[in-house]
């Protein structure tokens, strides 16, 4: 057992960082045994130095993260600041200083993962980021390492805790959107700017990271087709309920049947109540991975929050510390397939379309003809009339997204269609 400690710089001490510091302190002896050397919290970089931070020696606090990394004795940096800058510059500085990095920063990894991986590899250092996707759930390392001998064809899951919390509250208690978002924020689930959660950017960043790992290719945030959940209404939930469904914000990554391209998307979708994802409540996440030999695997657990996320960070810290002692590194980026990412129009799925129409003879036939003209086959239609107007709900069979967009564009031009109230994809059947 080595007695000289491995020194850790903690960059950020908010919801996640404060829990990392707490567990490093309270579990110090166990961590020492598991690593084979003590790990010492050698410095904590924050923005507001005067804030009271329970359990942290005030002499460790600094506002100069760069100086902390450059002081010459740091072995491992944990980046839990979030956002693009200064996180990117700090991780780059760490690599220049010979320091391995553990990060929870999905936004940065989805935007600049390739460059950061390259910098780590060039310096012979580790970049680990289990906490960046699905909080406490071991998912990144199982996909990078345990499934490295298999071929992953599809990944579908709930990867944002905040939006799952909001949708769950709207569905189960009838809570309003803002009330549920405020609660998720108070519980430490939301990003610094919760727009990242509700508009789907956070889930899209995680989707980009998972797609890269699953398909051994590079997928950036901009490659992921993204729709948030701010438009999901009580009427959508009522409609979903009538179909025996609920609504979840899903990330779906697919390899094309010919294996020559992939798709990556994030959007709200109706899923049957019998589907395992339908029972994922509150800020929990769940991810299905379909691999050629393994079949269908499901990963489930807390997807956000300080302590759950710190668990994933600490797991990475132990792995990186062990690598340091062995003078080795873990697996780097694997992007050898270089598969193109196809546009959303190529995605094939089912749709639930809610229309406000005039309630008069021939309207239903006109609407049905428009679907047929665009090659979209109708599965069910439900009409409810009221005072000369009617609400028409059409559920389709599987069709390309481009065909559905063409249908909706044409429907909007019909005099008898007063408006398209909502369009939602139907998944998981
Ligand atoms: P917080 O906003 O709670 O914490 C951010 C921390 O960074 C704060 O301690 C803040 O200092 C510090 N900080 C901000 N700017 C600087 C700077 N320029 N220099 C030094 N320190 C700075 O964020 P979270 O802990 O929630 O999230 C951290 C990361 O973890 C993000 O990448 C997030 O996406 C990711 N993550 C978060 C999860 C969660 O459930 N919260 C789950 C999974 C991942 P100060 O305390 O002084 O304000
Ligand atoms: N804001 C994120 C979420 C944190 O709600 O899932 C976990 O990555």
């Amino acid at each position: 057992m080595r007695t000289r400690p491995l020194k850790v710089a903690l960059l950020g001490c908010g919801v996640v960082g404060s829990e990392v510091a707490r567990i490093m302190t309270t579990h110090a002896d166990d961590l020492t045994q598991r690593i084979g050397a003590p790990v010492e919290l050698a410095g904590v970089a924050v923005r507001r130095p005067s804030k009271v931070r329970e359990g942290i020696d005030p002499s460790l606090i600094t506002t100069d993260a760069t100086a902390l990394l450059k002081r010459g004795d740091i072995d491992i940096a944990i980046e839990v600041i979030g956002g693009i800058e200064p996180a990117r510059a700090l991780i780059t500085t760490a690599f220049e200083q010979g320091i391995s990095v553990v990060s929870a920063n999905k936004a940065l990894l989805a935007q600049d993962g390739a460059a950061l991986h390259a910098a780590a590899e060039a310096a012979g250092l580790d970049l680990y980021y289990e906490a960046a996707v699905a909080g406490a759930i071991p998912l990144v390392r199982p996909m990078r390492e345990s499934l490295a001998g298999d071929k992953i064809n599809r990944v579908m899951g709930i990867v944002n805790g905040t939006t799952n919390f909001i949708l769950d509250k709207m569905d189960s208690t009838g809570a309003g959107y803002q009330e549920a978002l405020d609660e998720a924020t108070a519980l430490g689930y939301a990003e610094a700017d919760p727009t990242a959660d509700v508009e789907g950017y956070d889930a899209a960043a995680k989707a980009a990271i998972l797609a890269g790992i699953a398909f051994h290719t590079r997928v950036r945030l901009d490659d992921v087709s993204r729709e948030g959940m701010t438009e999901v209404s009580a009427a959508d939930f009522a409609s979903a309920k009538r179909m025996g469904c609920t609504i979840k914000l899903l990330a779906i990554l697919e390899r094309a049947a010919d294996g020559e391209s992939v798709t990556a998307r994030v959007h709200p979708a109706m899923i049957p109540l019998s589907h395992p994802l339908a029972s994922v409540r509150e800020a929990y996440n769940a991810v299905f991975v379909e691999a050629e030999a393994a079949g269908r695997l499901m990963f489930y657990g807390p997807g956000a929050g300080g302590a759950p996320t710190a668990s994933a960070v600490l797991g990475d810290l132990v792995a990186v510390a062990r690598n340091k002692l062995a003078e080795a590194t873990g697996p780097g980026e694997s992007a050898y397939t270089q598969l193109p990412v196809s546009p959303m129009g190529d995605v094939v799925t089912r749709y639930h379309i809610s229309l406000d129409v005039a309630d008069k003879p021939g309207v239903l036939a006109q609407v049905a003809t428009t679907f047929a003209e665009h090659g979209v086959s109708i599965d069910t239609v439900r009409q409810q009339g009221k005072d000369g107007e009617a609400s028409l709900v059409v559920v389709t069979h599987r069709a390309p997204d481009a065909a559905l967009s063409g249908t909706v564009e044409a429907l909007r031009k019909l005099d008898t269609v007063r408006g398209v109230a909502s369009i939602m994809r139907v998944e998981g059947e």
Side-chain angles (χ1 to χ4, degrees):
M1 173 86 65
R2 179 175 122 153
T3 51
R4 188 163 54 82
L6 287 161
K7 296 207 175 185
V8 176
L10 182 61
L11 312 179
C13 191
V15 172
V16 179
S18 58
E19 285 297 314
V20 170
R22 181 184 65 76
I23 298 171
M24 276 186 75
T25 310
T26 54
H27 292 28
D29 292 343
D30 285 328
L31 291 172
T32 302
Q33 293 299 325
R34 292 171 197 176
I35 291 166
V39 276
E40 177 189 320
L41 191 55
V44 180
V46 297
R47 188 177 34 189
R48 295 166 295 164
S50 52
K51 188 179 167 200
V52 177
R53 297 174 202 267
E54 206 184 315
I56 295 182
D57 176 354
S59 70
L60 296 179
I61 300 286
T62 176
T63 53
D64 194 344
T66 308
L68 172 61
L69 294 171
K70 286 187 171 176
R71 72 184 206 192
D73 64 342
I74 302 297
D75 298 292
I76 300 168
I78 297 176
E79 185 276 305
V80 278
I81 292 175
I84 305 303
E85 293 295 356
R88 174 170 47 195
L90 291 172
I91 292 176
T92 306
T93 301
F95 292 146
E96 286 163 3
Q97 297 296 312
I99 299 168
S100 283
V101 173
V102 173
S103 175
N105 194 334
K106 50 273 163 122
L108 178 58
L109 282 155
Q111 183 173 307
D112 273 332
L116 295 174
H117 277 293
E121 199 167 331
L125 296 162
D126 275 329
L127 171 62
Y128 274 49
Y129 47 91
E130 183 62 69
V133 185
I137 306 173
L139 179 63
V140 170
R141 274 201 275 150
M143 282 176 65
R144 285 177 91 182
E145 299 179 31
S146 315
L147 289 167
D150 208 332
K151 182 179 184 189
I152 296 174
N153 288 321
R154 192 165 192 268
V155 179
M156 173 165 103
I158 296 166
V159 293
N160 182 272
T162 302
T163 49
N164 199 60
F165 185 89
I166 298 170
L167 291 170
D168 180 37
K169 293 285 170 205
M170 285 172 77
D171 191 20
S172 60
T173 70
Y177 163 81
Q178 192 58 47
E179 181 193 343
L181 173 57
D182 290 347
E183 199 179 343
T185 305
L187 289 165
Y189 302 149
E191 293 303 299
D193 175 1
T195 311
D197 296 294
V198 298
E199 293 296 355
Y201 291 101
D202 179 80
K206 292 164 176 166
I209 295 168
L210 289 182
I213 297 170
F215 307 130
H216 298 270
T217 190
R218 282 204 181 125
V219 179
R220 285 170 50 96
L221 180 59
D222 294 347
D223 297 322
V224 181
S225 164
R226 176 199 54 79
E227 277 171 38
M229 48 69 65
T230 50
E231 306 283 305
V232 177
S233 65
D236 291 325
F237 274 111
S239 207
K241 222 161 249 172
R242 273 193 290 271
M243 285 174 60
C245 288
T246 188
I247 299 169
K248 296 289 185 188
L249 185 78
L250 298 183
I252 303 174
L253 320 167
E254 290 168 311
R255 192 192 290 276
D258 65 4
E260 298 296 318
S261 62
V262 298
T263 53
R265 54 189 163 117
V266 165
H267 54 69
M270 291 186 182
I271 51 167
L273 291 169
S274 56
H275 193 282
L277 289 180
S279 52
V280 176
R281 308 287 307 271
E282 304 217 317
Y284 276 72
N285 285 184
V287 180
F288 277 99
V289 177
E290 293 179 23
E292 203 168 83
R296 295 182 88 198
L297 308 168
M298 182 171 170
F299 298 82
Y300 171 78
T309 308
S311 163
V313 171
L314 266 295
D316 278 354
L317 175 65
V318 170
V320 171
R322 285 176 180 156
N323 290 344
K324 278 258 169 212
L325 294 183
E327 296 181 5
T329 53
E333 185 190 29
S334 172
Y336 67 93
T337 62
Q338 296 180 25
L339 294 171
V341 184
S342 300
M344 187 65 194
D346 288 3
V347 165
V348 177
T349 188
R350 298 178 66 214
Y351 306 87
H352 173 285
I353 303 110
S354 185
L355 305 168
D356 296 323
V357 297
D359 192 2
K360 57 183 190 189
V363 173
L364 192 53
Q366 217 180 10
V367 167
T369 302
T370 307
F371 276 86
E373 280 170 357
H374 290 83
V376 180
S377 168
I378 292 175
D379 182 18
T380 61
V381 179
R382 184 169 44 80
Q383 180 172 343
Q384 196 170 7
K386 194 177 144 215
D387 303 332
E389 301 289 303
S391 131
L392 201 59
V393 173
V394 178
V395 180
T396 74
H397 287 294
R398 283 166 61 80
D401 220 79
L404 195 275
S405 300
T407 309
V408 171
E409 207 176 307
L411 286 170
R412 286 190 204 278
K413 288 183 186 147
L414 296 179
D415 289 343
T416 48
V417 174
R418 309 283 189 240
V420 180
S422 94
I423 306 164
M424 202 165 291
R425 295 172 186 91
V426 182
E427 302 286 346
E429 291 179 312

